[in-house]
Every structure is written in structure tokens, then in C-alpha cells.
Amino acid sequence: TLLLALLITSAAWCLFFRPRITALRRLPRFATAGDPLRYRVVLQNRETRRQEGLYLLEDVESPLPTLFEVQQTPEPDGRKRNPFDRSIGYHRWTWLLSRKRTIQATEQPLAGLPSNESLELRLELLPLRRGRLRFRGLSLVSPDPFGLFKARVYCPHAESLLVLPRRYLLPPV
């Protein structure tokens, strides 16, 4: 009963987390695959109270594996798995997702957003492959007081960036 009460309280807290925050991302024109991409994000808190304990997540368009790819692409270590894992295909699915992933990014903790002020952050992510990197928006995430759920506020801000191929050092001629 106590655990159920904690779960219900945490879920209810997430429903009422709706701060009014706007975000503006400032990207460079180009990035290089394999090199860290450094850029700035300006967050503006339009609330009358300070926002604490927030995390920032990038929402990047990432292609999902098709059904044909999941069925036909053999996983490198697939023969070592037991028959149940091979029939379910979860490990193959996660392997294909990691192959199609376009960036490597983590949640960025925010120190705090002052009330009715702007905060400029310097962020970094790692583009993994060349091509067009499409950002759909930003998400501000706040864990509930018990740490069971995370409330999310989505800030739509679509932008794109061209990721150039990796550069390799050549030996002197």
C-alpha cells in the first residue's frame, strides 16, 4: 500500500509540472563526424519562481530500423545467444538501433533557472556519422521528489546541421 501511494503521488506530481520555458539553440553551420560539436542554448524562464533540478535533453531525429532489417540483418554475436533471445530479437533490435544512432548525447544538468531571466548554456554532443542532423526540439526533464518518475516539458525548436565526414591525418609527403 505504501509503494502504491508513492507511485501515485509521483505520477500525480509529474502531471502538474508545467513551467513556461522557451529555448533557443545556436548551432554552427557545420560539424564533423567524430569531433565534439559545441554549441549554445539560451533558456528563458517566464515563471515568477526559480526552477531547480532540471535536466536538458536534445530531441534529434533518428531513423528506426525497418522490419526487413530486423528480420534479415544478422547480429554479429547472434549465434552465441540462447534460442529464446534469438526468437525474440531484442538484442538484434538494440544492436541495429546503436548502428543507426546519429549522435551521442547525455542529459545535461542545469544549475537552476532564475525567475523571469535567461540562462545561456554551452553544450556538447558527438555526431557519429555524416549527413544532415535534424534537431526537433529540446526537452526539460525534472525528476519527482521520490525519483520514481520524470516529468518532461517539450520545447519545439526545429533546426538542422550538416555533419561532414570524418577527417583523417595524413602522413607527411
Side-chain angles (χ1 to χ4, degrees), residues 65 69-70 72-78 81 89-101 129:
E69 289 175 325
V70 172
Q72 300 299 324
T73 308
E75 183 187 4
D77 295 332
R81 302 206 185 278
Y90 174 75
H91 296 286
R92 186 181 319 122
W93 172 258
T94 57
W95 173 71
L96 284 170
L97 279 178
S98 69
R99 283 186 58 205
K100 289 189 166 268
R101 191 173 61 180
R129 59 187 73 249

Side-chain angles (χ1 to χ4, degrees), residues 1-66:
T1 307
L2 177 64
L3 291 176
L4 182 62
L6 285 175
L7 284 173
I8 291 172
T9 305
S10 295
W13 183 87
C14 291
L15 294 175
F16 296 108
F17 176 73
R18 297 282 176 236
R20 293 180 302 150
I21 296 174
T22 57
L24 177 66
R25 187 185 307 109
R26 295 187 178 150
L27 293 172
R29 279 184 62 187
F30 302 106
T32 304
D35 289 344
L37 168 66
R38 291 173 184 86
Y39 61 101
R40 296 178 296 162
V41 173
V42 178
L43 297 174
Q44 183 177 11
N45 185 5
R46 295 184 291 144
E47 293 281 328
T48 56
R49 65 186 179 111
R50 183 178 173 89
Q51 298 293 328
E52 292 287 340
L54 297 177
Y55 293 89
L56 184 73
L57 289 172
E58 283 288 356
D59 185 17
V60 178
E61 194 174 277
S62 184
L64 293 175
T66 63

